[in-house]
Amino acid sequence: MDYLLFLRRNWLFLLAGFLLTFTSSYGQTYFISLFAGAIKGDFGLSDGQWGGIYTIGTTLSALTMVWAGVLTDRFRVRVLAFGVMVTLAGACLAMAAVPNWIALIFVVYALRLTGQGMMSQLGQVAMVRWFEATRGKALSLSSMGFAAGQAFLPVIFVALFASFHWRSLWVLAAVLVLLTIPVILLLLRQERTPQSMAEQAQRAGMQGRHWTRAEMFRSGLFWMMIPFAVGPSAWGTALFFHQVHLVEMKGWQLVEFVALMPIYTLSAVACTFLSGWAIDRFGVSRVVPVQMLPFALAFMVLAYADTLWMAGIGLIIFGAGQGMQSTAPAAFWAEYYGTRHVGSIKAVAAALMVFGSAVGPGVTGLFIDLGVEFPQQMLPIALYYLAAAALAGWAIHRYRPSLSPSGCAADRHNTPRRRRG
């Protein structure tokens, strides 16, 4: 009932957040990887070469995110969303016309920067700015865009492969992005500016301060949380990036594996709401240390899965981790470093996430070319998650006492204030 009441009071802003995160799908790995077989075939690429191209393009987008993400501290979401979505549509059209593997690097760069990077950044920064006391609920509801995209777009586009050339489907993606723009502008026509929000008291972080990005770099907590920030995107991206290779090694059909995505999404959705509730009820400090554990267990299950039924179990567990990933990191940075400079701080976290999504496919693709199949790599990946969980738990135990209980909520009435005029 709390979620329904909250949704009814704030549906305008939450729907905008949903559409922003949904539109990020066209730059996410699970969408781009659907075309991996066709791309490798057209350009004569091996798994390692395709992974290398993806790594270079994504790494460049991660470096750009460090600068581009700061723009969310200076401009309204609706202004930035318009420019980012137009550029994303252009990137989709570029993928439809990409002539060679060299140009493919820059197309991947544009898709990853505008899709996974900036659209995700806009959706999550908007939620942590517009809401404070109910930040967990806001993030969980807006993050349904990620879940919806991953549940439906792969199934729809794989089905369309039977009737349309892969390049034509990227034109369709561009059209869908452009059709979303007027809806976003309509929903956010009364949005408050980040500048006006920053000038008012907001939720402070550790030591009762609003940390700048430079100060964050000098704090030990940030460096200890890097494996936590990088891991889910690195190895989760690798899982979906190599799904064509994975099903070949397991002897499954791609369409059958993709058909499991809805149950994965249901798990992600359930745990997104559960983690959002848990963040508001118990605090993000209690949620973050256990966030890596479902990922570790999922990779263990998938490593030994020899049937689609077992693959489904693994994806359900993986979806639980993804659900927590949709809410906990964004809430963590705001909780520990304050909300005044959350755009620039979240930009670094987004850059780490994007960088992780570059490293994962590249490293795993290289090992595949060296003869180490992806299922064989899954147990070491599970160990990484366990180590990251232990380090994050120790870091939070050390720095949690410095959190200040004071600070003014930006949404004392659980509703984002609107700009006058």
Side-chain angles (χ1 to χ4, degrees):
M1 290 302 294
D2 287 344
Y3 266 107
L4 292 176
L5 180 62
F6 178 71
L7 179 60
R8 186 165 66 248
R9 290 177 174 175
N10 304 287
W11 70 270
L12 199 73
F13 297 91
L14 295 171
L15 179 58
F18 172 90
L19 290 176
L20 289 170
T21 56
F22 179 86
T23 307
S24 76
S25 299
Y26 306 107
Q28 299 280 5
T29 298
Y30 63 77
F31 185 80
I32 299 174
S33 65
L34 297 174
F35 303 85
I39 291 172
K40 289 188 294 183
D42 275 17
F43 299 118
L45 302 172
S46 69
D47 286 294
Q49 290 169 331
W50 167 227
I53 288 172
Y54 201 78
T55 294
I56 294 171
T58 304
T59 300
L60 292 173
S61 71
L63 295 173
T64 308
M65 268 302 298
V66 176
W67 166 81
V70 179
L71 298 176
T72 55
D73 279 338
R74 302 175 182 172
F75 299 98
R76 299 185 191 180
V77 171
R78 71 192 303 267
V79 173
L80 281 178
F82 176 80
V84 171
M85 293 174 76
V86 168
T87 308
L88 175 58
C92 292
L93 291 176
M95 179 62 96
V98 63
N100 52 57
W101 68 267
I102 297 176
L104 185 61
I105 295 174
F106 297 98
V107 174
V108 169
Y109 162 76
L111 285 171
R112 302 292 280 157
L113 174 62
T114 55
Q116 186 202 26
M118 285 303 294
M119 291 304 297
S120 299
Q121 168 87 346
L122 285 168
Q124 294 191 328
V125 168
M127 295 301 103
V128 299
R129 280 197 177 281
W130 294 339
F131 302 92
E132 191 273 310
T134 52
R135 185 176 296 141
K137 289 187 180 69
L139 285 167
S140 62
L141 287 166
S142 66
S143 294
M144 290 301 98
F146 292 125
Q150 198 157 7
F152 299 111
L153 290 180
V155 175
I156 293 171
F157 277 76
V158 167
L160 291 175
F161 279 149
S163 304
F164 298 93
H165 193 272
W166 70 271
R167 293 180 183 269
S168 301
L169 296 181
W170 279 103
V171 175
L172 173 61
V175 171
L176 293 174
V177 173
L178 293 174
L179 290 176
T180 309
I181 293 176
V183 182
I184 291 288
L185 296 180
L186 180 64
L187 290 171
L188 297 181
R189 64 188 183 277
Q190 293 183 301
E191 181 201 359
R192 298 172 65 206
T193 64
Q195 294 94 324
S196 67
M197 297 179 70
E199 291 168 359
Q200 298 179 19
Q202 298 183 50
R203 178 78 180 192
M206 295 181 293
Q207 302 170 8
R209 296 163 48 199
H210 290 278
W211 294 63
T212 65
R213 186 158 69 178
E215 292 170 335
M216 180 187 72
F217 284 140
R218 294 193 293 269
S219 70
L221 176 64
F222 167 74
W223 298 101
M224 287 185 283
M225 297 302 293
I226 287 179
F228 161 83
V230 171
S233 62
W235 312 121
T237 296
L239 174 62
F240 291 107
F241 184 81
H242 293 301
Q243 59 184 322
V244 174
H245 165 81
L246 177 63
V247 298
E248 290 175 353
M249 293 300 101
K250 295 287 189 178
W252 305 327
Q253 296 296 317
L254 178 61
V255 66
E256 295 174 336
F257 185 75
V258 170
L260 297 173
M261 289 301 109
I263 63 171
Y264 153 79
T265 303
L266 287 175
S267 173
V269 167
C271 286
T272 297
F273 284 114
L274 180 61
S275 63
W277 170 82
I279 288 169
D280 290 340
R281 178 67 178 83
F282 304 108
V284 71
S285 298
R286 298 184 184 275
V287 176
V288 165
V290 300
Q291 181 190 328
M292 300 287 103
L293 301 183
F295 290 124
L297 181 58
F299 272 91
M300 291 178 187
V301 172
L302 289 171
Y304 293 106
D306 55 2
T307 65
L308 283 170
W309 184 85
M310 285 298 296
I313 297 297
L315 288 176
I316 289 172
I317 301 171
F318 188 80
Q322 283 294 96
M324 300 172 73
Q325 175 72 10
S326 298
T327 55
F332 171 82
W333 300 113
E335 180 83 9
Y336 277 78
Y337 292 103
T339 57
R340 183 169 299 163
H341 308 290
V342 70
S344 59
I345 287 172
K346 182 67 174 62
V348 176
L352 288 172
M353 176 193 68
V354 176
F355 176 72
S357 67
V359 170
V363 170
T364 52
L366 176 61
F367 276 103
I368 289 172
D369 279 1
L370 293 175
V372 183
E373 307 300 347
F374 188 57
Q376 296 174 289
Q377 301 178 40
M378 287 182 167
L379 289 182
I381 290 173
L383 292 177
Y384 172 97
Y385 280 120
L386 293 176
L391 183 59
W394 182 78
I396 287 177
H397 174 75
R398 178 179 177 182
Y399 285 91
R400 186 182 180 188
S402 63
L403 284 177
S404 171
S406 62
C408 298
D411 60 334
R412 293 184 185 279
H413 301 290
N414 297 337
T415 304
R417 301 173 186 173
R418 297 183 178 180
R419 175 175 160 270
R420 294 181 181 273

